[in-house]
Amino acid sequence: MDRAQIINILKEICAGKKVNFNEQKLDIDFKTLGLDSLQLVDLIYKVEERLNLQLPDQELMNIKTLNDIVNLLLKLSK
């Protein structure tokens, strides 16, 4: 899976959650995007479900932006 595929998947999931997704601003923190902690957990769950994988809990603690999710998924797909 490459970066463009991951971004497209995130874009689809965010659209379903009415999250303001902007490819040029992937480094914006989740609070600025209007996501609270429960919504973030749901977003992560949807990503895991869509990709049929489980993200390591230790890695999830470091996720602050959509770009962090993209980078983690790239790392795990190698």
Side-chain angles (χ1 to χ4, degrees), residues 28-35:
I28 295 174
D29 65 73
F30 292 117
K31 286 186 179 189
T32 303
L33 290 174
L35 289 174

Side-chain angles (χ1 to χ4, degrees), residues 4-22:
Q5 290 172 313
I6 293 170
I7 289 173
N8 283 334
I9 290 168
L10 280 175
K11 189 185 297 185
E12 290 173 18
I13 292 170
C14 287
K17 308 223 138 289
K18 297 183 176 144
V19 174
N20 184 13
F21 185 91
N22 183 331

Side-chain angles (χ1 to χ4, degrees), residues 23-45:
E23 288 181 52
Q24 278 67 46
K25 297 182 179 179
L26 291 177
D27 283 325
I28 295 174
D29 65 73
F30 292 117
K31 286 186 179 189
T32 303
L33 290 174
L35 289 174
D36 61 26
S37 58
L38 187 56
Q39 292 168 315
L40 177 57
V41 169
D42 190 49
L43 175 69
I44 297 296
Y45 174 76

Side-chain angles (χ1 to χ4, degrees), residues 3 6 11 45 48 55 72:
R3 185 173 184 81
I6 293 170
K11 189 185 297 185
Y45 174 76
E48 291 176 330
L55 300 174
L72 176 57

